[in-house]
Amino acid sequence: MSLLRVNDLTVKFGDVTVVDGLGFELPKGGSLGIVGESGSGKSMTSLAVMGLLPKGALCTGEISFDGIDLNTLSERRMREIRGDRIAMIFQDPLSSLNPYYTVGTQIAEAYRSHRSGVSRRAARQVAIEAMERVHIKEAGRRVDDYPHQFSGGMRQRVMIAMALSTEPELIIADEPTTALDVTVQAQILDLLAEVRRDTGAALIMITHDLAVVSEVADTVVVMRYGDVVETGSTEQIFSDPRHPYTQALLDAVPRIDDEIGDLRTLGGGS
Amino acid sequence: MTRYLVNRVLGMLLVLFLVALFTYMVFFLLSPDPAVQICGKTCTPERIDQIRANLGLDDPFPVQFLHFLEGLFLGRDYGTGASAVHCSAPCLGYSFQSAQVVTDMIVQRLPVTAVVAIGAAVLWLLAGVIGGLLSAVREGRFTDRFITALTLGGMSVPNYVLALALQYVFVVQLQWLPFPQAVPFADDPGQWFLNFILPWTVLAIGYASSYTRLTRANVIDTLSENFVRTARAKGLRPHLVWRRHALRPALTPIVTIAGMDFAGLLGGALITETVFGINGVGKLAADSITKNDQPVIMAVTLLAAFFVVVGNMVVDLLYSAIDPRVRAGATT
Ligand SMILES: Nc1ncnc2c1ncn2[C@@H]1O[C@H](COP(=O)(O)OP(=O)(O)OP(=O)(O)O)[C@@H](O)[C@H]1O
Ligand SMILES: [Mg+2]
């Protein structure tokens, strides 16, 4: 059985349909890339899975997570899944972290809200371990720092630490590298691949950048105007794109292999 | 942090010095000759000259200003010989009209002004924050529109109209409140408290209205922040999302503004104190303006500036304690 099955998902704002009968499947521990141009409904799809669609959105269709239909689940039960079994990483790590609290507090908060009877101390320890797992140096000291004291890449590492602290079965990353500079992008992608390997979590990587997809995804869903244009394994999409739109997206990314090679060498040092 | 503090205090002293200099200059240049005022109706030019010499009014501006500063820090004497009046530090001047040291006049009136300011601040903060939260939670619905309409009214009615209207309704017509009489707290705490209800309300209504709007706007803005979305994505309970991630960032700026407004009010609420016959610093200022009692006007102006500048600093320090970004900036 697949971990996540999305079937005929439709999201509307009044008369405007932003996701239109979308469907895809993700096996346990698998990784799926969702690509598409800006406004194609990628973020709305991920927010629909999280049950975090903005006010005024009407969501229909089936979102089956481990056999549970998330779309008909009560808000209470959904909250238990959110952040525990499904975690999300957002595009802009600075604005996604609350400036008033230390990163340790914010990581621990995720963990504590899903495990009853965890002391502050124990949660802090979990936060430090999570930070170590995302390779933040001197985690024991930095756990008490505030988000503004970190660089962009380090902030995104904090977000990832927050996501993996609860050992989720699914991590949704919505353009996690878009706000970062190129060398840091490669490091974050490597980190996400490593996290997947170590924890066995499934990953949905949302991006408009096919180079990113080729890094982390086994399967690719190409979206346009809220619907799937083409689905296939990453190799198939890259070597033999069926749909002209996919072809166009591929053409927009010149020399993908070279570029990734370059990034690797640049990012490898630190 | 210590260096920051020292810098802030030095900066504050400089500002206060400039304010004092400027105020003194204005009054020095504009004021009618105090000697004439002191001299009264049956006055001869010789007598005026004598008073001028006596009070040092013949001295050039810098000398007079230095005397003023000296009085502020060390105290000074007005006049010479047997008729001399000692004014101990901090000496804010001498009112020839009421034959009193200005510092004493102010110190007598400061407590009641503080009572007015504190009561009003408590009221407007409570009303403003609660109203703003309600409005934000019910955004776009009836409650929100109703509150917004109220605040519009609250901001546009001038205080003296409000004061007179409330007095007419609650004292004259409904007789829910007694006719205001100055009673010391110790004699009749009940009456004392009732006396303040209307002044507090009148002062609070304007502030409460703008605080309501500010709170509403801040809360709505904060709720659309990405970090609130992150908090939800973590699966936090709604009350925690609100308390930790929405309210704290939304209400922090309000603390700042409340501090400033409060400090401003310590300088006296001119209109409200006058209308309600409260003998505070505001009424003192109003009376002195009517009587053209220069030293008092100047002292009250300085006092208000002093509160604003000090309040400003206290608020900044407070802010750096609650906002980690400011705190970090302060140490580097
Ligand atoms: N609150 C809203 N009300 C109405 N329409 C909205 C709202 N939020 C988003 N949309 C619309 O939904 C569509 C899909 O948005 P979405 O954010 O999912 O795009 P995206 O594929 O993530 O694009 P990007 O690459 O720019 O992030 C867009 O056309 C957007 O204008
Ligand atoms: Mg998006």
Side-chain angles (χ1 to χ4, degrees):
Chain A
M1 188 179 65
S2 53
L3 178 68
L4 181 71
R5 195 176 71 242
V6 171
N7 205 359
D8 199 21
L9 179 71
T10 301
V11 178
K12 286 184 183 179
F13 289 97
D15 294 338
V16 186
T17 305
V18 295
V19 177
D20 193 3
L22 184 85
F24 60 81
E25 273 192 56
L26 176 65
K28 275 201 167 68
S31 74
L32 176 81
I34 300 182
V35 277
E37 63 192 0
S38 187
S40 55
K42 306 183 296 291
S43 294
M44 289 302 140
T45 304
S46 60
L47 292 176
V49 174
M50 292 295 285
L52 288 177
L53 283 170
K55 264 191 222 145
L58 183 71
C59 176
T60 55
E62 186 194 359
I63 304 169
S64 170
F65 174 76
D66 197 21
I68 311 163
D69 186 6
L70 301 183
N71 203 18
T72 56
L73 206 60
S74 72
E75 170 57 25
R76 223 191 115 115
R77 299 271 321 279
M78 186 65 225
R79 204 170 63 229
E80 288 166 7
I81 292 177
R82 209 184 278 148
D84 186 18
R85 301 184 65 188
I86 307 177
M88 188 151 179
I89 300 162
F90 298 97
Q91 174 172 339
D92 178 8
L94 180 57
S95 67
S96 297
L97 288 164
N98 190 322
Y100 286 87
Y101 300 97
T102 64
V103 297
T105 307
Q106 296 186 61
I107 297 171
E109 193 175 44
Y111 185 76
R112 286 187 84 188
S113 69
H114 293 291
R115 305 282 184 277
S116 53
V118 179
S119 69
R120 255 167 214 285
R121 221 157 211 272
R124 187 185 142 91
Q125 201 50 45
V126 169
I128 294 174
E129 278 159 24
M131 285 169 73
E132 278 164 355
R133 277 166 70 185
V134 298
H135 309 300
I136 294 176
K137 295 198 182 76
E138 295 186 80
R141 186 175 61 79
R142 303 228 66 188
V143 68
D144 296 321
D145 281 349
Y146 290 88
H148 70 267
Q149 292 168 293
F150 289 81
S151 67
M154 283 296 151
R155 283 175 201 140
Q156 199 56 294
R157 282 176 196 265
V158 169
M159 288 299 290
I160 296 171
M162 190 186 290
L164 59 81
S165 67
T166 54
E167 313 253 317
E169 290 142 77
L170 172 62
I171 297 176
I172 303 177
D174 188 356
E175 313 233 11
T177 58
T178 311
L180 306 174
D181 62 49
V182 232
T183 45
V184 181
Q185 282 186 14
Q187 294 168 23
I188 294 296
L189 291 180
D190 282 346
L191 177 64
L192 281 171
E194 180 189 326
V195 165
R196 251 193 80 209
R197 235 182 6 254
D198 293 353
T199 65
L203 176 70
I204 294 180
M205 170 65 77
I206 292 169
T207 177
H208 57 259
D209 186 352
L210 275 169
V212 168
V213 166
S214 69
E215 271 282 88
V216 289
D218 310 333
T219 319
V220 181
V221 168
V222 181
M223 270 183 85
R224 190 185 196 187
Y225 304 140
D227 200 5
V228 176
V229 167
E230 181 167 1
T231 313
S233 74
T234 308
E235 296 91 69
Q236 181 256 304
I237 293 282
F238 274 86
S239 60
D240 180 23
R242 307 267 156 82
H243 197 280
Y245 179 67
T246 314
Q247 184 62 57
L249 279 181
L250 277 172
D251 292 342
V253 188
R255 300 180 294 111
I256 295 161
D257 296 330
D258 294 354
E259 196 176 324
I260 290 171
D262 288 349
L263 294 184
R264 276 261 176 70
T265 30
L266 277 173
S270 50
Chain B
M1 194 67 196
T2 328
R3 226 184 86 199
Y4 172 69
L5 216 83
V6 170
N7 281 342
R8 280 309 308 254
V9 172
L10 288 180
M12 184 183 84
L13 289 177
L14 181 68
V15 170
L16 283 176
F17 174 79
L18 291 177
V19 170
L21 180 67
F22 182 73
T23 317
Y24 200 83
M25 200 151 68
V26 168
F27 284 101
F28 182 85
L29 294 174
L30 294 183
S31 79
D33 196 338
V36 178
Q37 292 185 335
I38 299 163
C39 196
K41 283 179 192 124
T42 57
C43 195
T44 58
E46 297 79 52
R47 175 96 182 100
I48 289 180
D49 288 343
Q50 194 193 343
I51 294 174
R52 293 181 65 91
N54 227 342
L55 294 177
L57 294 175
D58 291 330
D59 296 333
F61 174 76
V63 175
Q64 288 202 38
F65 183 62
L66 279 180
H67 275 310
F68 176 76
L69 285 185
E70 184 194 346
L72 212 48
F73 291 105
L74 306 168
R76 68 188 281 200
D77 288 320
Y78 283 93
T80 48
S83 64
V85 182
H86 180 68
C87 174
S88 50
C91 176
L92 287 166
Y94 183 78
S95 164
F96 302 106
Q97 286 190 21
S98 31
Q100 253 191 311
V101 170
V102 176
T103 316
D104 294 346
M105 300 171 80
I106 287 176
V107 167
Q108 275 168 18
R109 288 165 174 85
L110 208 49
V112 72
T113 289
V115 167
V116 170
I118 292 171
V122 168
L123 268 186
W124 90 58
L125 271 174
L126 277 177
V129 169
I130 293 174
L133 283 177
L134 257 175
S135 218
V137 173
R138 314 289 301 174
E139 188 191 352
R141 306 208 212 166
F142 175 75
T143 318
D144 181 26
R145 287 188 202 165
F146 181 71
I147 291 176
T148 305
L150 276 186
T151 59
L152 209 68
M155 284 192 291
S156 48
V157 182
N159 271 3
Y160 61 90
V161 174
L162 206 59
L164 293 176
L166 289 183
Q167 214 164 26
Y168 180 74
V169 173
F170 291 102
V171 178
V172 179
Q173 286 297 319
L174 298 171
Q175 301 191 349
W176 288 356
L177 292 168
F179 196 80
Q181 279 170 288
V183 284
F185 177 76
D187 289 4
D188 187 350
Q191 165 84 24
W192 178 90
F193 183 80
L194 291 179
N195 276 343
F196 281 110
I197 288 185
L198 285 184
W200 282 335
T201 311
V202 167
L203 271 182
I205 282 178
Y207 287 110
S209 302
S210 48
Y211 279 54
T212 300
R213 306 197 118 196
L214 198 70
T215 305
R216 176 187 185 274
N218 278 359
V219 168
I220 290 174
D221 275 1
T222 310
L223 283 177
S224 69
E225 290 276 1
N226 284 343
F227 58 73
V228 171
R229 187 183 57 187
T230 306
R232 292 205 178 104
K234 281 188 224 180
L236 284 196
R237 278 161 226 270
H239 77 269
L240 288 181
V241 173
W242 265 87
R243 215 177 62 214
R244 290 199 200 138
H245 295 279
L247 290 192
R248 188 165 166 193
L251 296 185
T252 304
I254 290 172
V255 174
T256 323
I257 299 162
M260 311 268 227
D261 285 341
F262 178 73
L265 266 191
L266 282 181
L270 240 78
I271 292 169
T272 307
E273 286 182 13
T274 308
V275 174
F276 289 104
I278 295 170
N279 209 4
V281 179
K283 185 155 184 301
L284 178 66
D287 292 349
S288 315
I289 292 169
T290 321
K291 295 191 292 184
N292 200 11
D293 193 347
Q294 301 287 350
V296 179
I297 304 175
M298 192 179 82
V300 172
T301 311
L302 272 181
L303 184 79
F306 173 78
F307 281 129
V308 169
V309 173
V310 172
N312 216 317
M313 191 182 92
V314 170
V315 162
D316 271 7
L317 293 178
L318 208 67
Y319 203 81
S320 70
I322 33 188
D323 191 327
R325 286 164 298 182
V326 180
R327 201 185 311 153
T331 49
T332 47

